[in-house]
């Protein structure tokens, strides 16, 4: 759609890096309807997304529009603090972490969930509702009572792998970037999909003279990076500091953290319609079972928060 409407270079230098940066995916394999639903809606409703964007900007703002900020935001001190606050609100006695040997099965009018808790004891919970939010790949083991064909349509969702490298520099000797970060078009053939600049966006992420960068490497086209050694990945980050961010070659890295996410980002490809249909069928077949998480309803944090709120208020 983007190439048809705005030309190849818009596809290469705007849509491609956006899809690579957000989905770590292949722009040609992700239908606009599924990957960029807001853009799709504008084209369908207003005939073109530019006309749609202008029309939307002219519409009177609702109270909700006024409250919704377009600013980049995070939790103070990092996202862990958001998770901690949620945990405190729910209370630790209602949370079980590190459950093993999970067995879920439906019984007459409820579900029976058994697992080995982290204290080694077997626990049994009988409940009217079960909500899963793990990745699609984990469902066959958790929900073996579901018809195999239905389950396969859900669990075969493809995920892109990503390596995230956090780099901290105590004293920056080079450009200071006042930006969210940058995404790299695939045709530039770089190792790096994108670089975020958390210390430029959020308080207290680095010393006053320093900076923190977050490099994203891998994606559907480059699954091999997840297998690379830490040394090799560090070299890629060091090279990118010089070639992409224009820091001197001998810029010392004071802190480095490497995180490998083998099943990082779900790819909403054409199989999505069959997956959503199967989720509906299964949820009707087993009332009280809710299959949620990033296998539907969007891939970003905001989507997860909205999904969690919608489920929490509807059950
Ligand atoms: C590198 C990276 C950067 C990102 N940056 C951003 C960003 O800047 N902004 C943004 O909006 N979004 C971002 N995202 C996306 C964001 O992280 C996701 O939207 C969000 O994490 C999805 O949450 P989730 O709980 O659905 O899935 P996940 O965070 O993937 O959590 C799924 C959980 O299920 C657990 N699990 C797996 N199997 C089982 C099992 N059998 N039993 C129990 N639990 C199981 C896993 O261990 C995991 O903890 C990023 C993602 C990645 C990978």
């Amino acid at each position: 759609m983007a190439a048809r409407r705005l030309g190849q270079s818009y596809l290469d230098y705007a849509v491609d890096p956006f899809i690579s940066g957000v989905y770590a995916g292949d722009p040609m394999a992700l239908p606009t309807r599924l990957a960029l639903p807001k853009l799709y809606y504008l084209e369908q409703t207003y005939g073109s997304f530019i006309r749609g964007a202008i029309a939307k900007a002219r519409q009177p703002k609702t109270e909700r529009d006024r409250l919704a900020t377009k600013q980049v935001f995070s939790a103070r001190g990092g996202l862990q603090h958001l998770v901690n606050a949620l945990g405190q609100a729910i209370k630790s006695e209602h949370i079980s972490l590190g459950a093993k040997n999970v067995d879920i099965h439906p019984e007459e009018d409820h579900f029976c969930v058994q697992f080995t808790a982290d204290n080694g004891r077997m626990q049994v919970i009988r409940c009217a509702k079960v909500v899963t939010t793990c990745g699609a790949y984990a469902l066959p083991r958790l929900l073996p009572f579901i018809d195999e064909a239905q389950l396969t349509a859900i669990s075969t969702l493809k995920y892109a792998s990503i390596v995230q490298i956090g780099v901290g520099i105590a004293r920056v000797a080079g450009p200071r970037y006042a930006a969210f970060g940058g995404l790299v078009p695939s045709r530039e053939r770089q190792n790096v999909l994108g670089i975020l600049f958390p210390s430029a966006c959020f308080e207290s992420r680095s010393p006053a003279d320093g900076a923190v960068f977050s490099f994203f490497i891998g994606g559907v086209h480059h699954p091999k990076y997840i297998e690379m050694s830490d040394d090799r990945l560090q070299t890629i980050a060091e090279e990118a500091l010089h070639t992409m961010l224009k820091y001197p070659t001998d810029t010392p890295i004071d802190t480095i953290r490497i995180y490998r996410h083998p099943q990082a980002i779900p790819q909403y490809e054409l199989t999505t319609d069959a997956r959503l249909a199967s989720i509906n069928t299964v949820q009707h077949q087993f009332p009280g079972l809710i299959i949620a998480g990033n296998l539907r309803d969007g891939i970003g944090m905001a989507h997860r928060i909205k999904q969690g709120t919608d489920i929490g208020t509807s059950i």
Side-chain angles (χ1 to χ4, degrees):
M1 176 173 104
R4 171 166 50 84
R5 293 279 183 185
L6 296 164
Q8 188 64 33
S9 67
Y10 190 84
L11 177 70
D12 291 342
Y13 283 92
V15 177
D16 170 287
F18 182 75
I19 296 281
S20 304
V22 174
Y23 280 87
D26 175 356
M28 304 316 282
L30 297 171
T32 316
R33 169 174 66 88
L34 301 167
L36 304 169
K38 284 188 185 161
L39 214 63
Y40 181 77
Y41 167 81
L42 289 182
E43 194 194 55
Q44 293 300 303
T45 311
Y46 299 95
S48 96
F49 59 84
I50 292 185
R51 204 179 302 146
I54 294 169
K56 286 283 283 181
R58 285 190 181 143
Q59 280 172 7
K61 300 273 172 284
T62 63
E63 187 54 28
R64 187 184 171 281
D65 291 337
R66 269 190 284 276
L67 286 173
T69 167
K70 297 250 181 313
Q71 278 180 344
V72 173
F73 67 92
S74 182
R76 198 171 291 130
L79 279 176
Q80 181 66 46
H81 288 241
L82 175 63
V83 178
N84 292 348
L86 288 169
Q88 277 166 20
I90 295 167
K91 297 197 169 50
S92 60
E93 62 266 32
H94 298 131
I95 300 175
S96 210
L97 298 172
K100 295 199 176 56
N101 312 316
V102 181
D103 176 70
I104 304 171
H105 55 268
E107 290 177 346
E108 282 178 24
D109 58 351
H110 62 268
F111 292 91
C112 178
V113 182
Q114 297 181 36
F115 56 92
T116 313
D118 55 0
N119 60 10
R121 291 212 187 120
M122 170 76 110
Q123 286 212 11
V124 181
I125 299 174
R126 291 199 159 73
C127 49
K129 311 272 180 192
V130 168
V131 182
T132 68
T133 61
C134 54
Y137 49 86
L139 292 177
R141 283 210 58 189
L142 281 182
L143 307 174
F145 54 88
I146 292 177
D147 169 71
E148 198 179 331
Q150 302 287 0
L151 194 53
T152 304
I154 304 170
S155 65
T156 46
L157 169 62
K158 187 163 97 187
Y159 282 77
S161 63
I162 293 197
V163 180
Q164 181 183 9
I165 309 179
V167 166
I169 301 173
R171 288 180 73 84
V172 167
R176 295 197 71 87
Y177 295 97
F180 178 69
L183 301 169
V184 183
S186 338
R187 63 179 304 154
E188 302 277 328
R189 303 203 178 285
Q190 297 282 341
N191 290 320
V192 174
L193 293 172
I195 310 174
L196 300 188
F197 311 152
S199 53
C201 305
F202 310 120
E203 284 173 7
S204 314
R205 298 294 167 99
S206 73
D209 295 335
V212 170
F213 299 103
S214 193
F215 292 80
F216 296 92
I217 295 176
V220 279
H221 289 311
H222 305 287
K224 65 180 192 295
Y225 286 99
I226 202 92
E227 313 283 344
M228 263 181 197
S229 68
D230 284 3
D231 285 350
R232 180 74 192 101
L233 290 167
Q234 174 155 349
T235 306
I236 290 173
E238 283 165 349
E239 283 169 5
L241 276 178
H242 174 60
T243 56
M244 297 175 75
L245 295 178
K246 306 298 174 203
Y247 289 113
T249 42
D250 57 356
T251 297
I253 290 181
D254 296 292
T255 307
I256 184 159
R257 298 270 193 284
I258 298 177
Y259 304 93
R260 292 177 179 78
H261 306 281
Q263 280 141 327
I265 312 268
Q267 304 296 300
Y268 288 177
E269 297 183 348
L270 281 172
T271 52
T272 296
D273 295 325
R275 183 173 67 260
L276 297 181
S278 279
I279 291 173
N280 266 334
T281 305
V282 168
Q283 291 184 163
H284 270 101
Q285 202 180 349
F286 298 99
L289 175 64
I290 298 168
I291 301 177
N294 63 16
L295 43 73
R296 64 172 167 96
D297 300 337
I299 64 155
M301 286 288 298
H303 299 120
R304 290 285 69 72
I305 292 170
K306 178 170 186 326
Q307 187 190 62
T309 310
D310 288 347
I311 293 173
T313 48
S314 70
I315 60 178

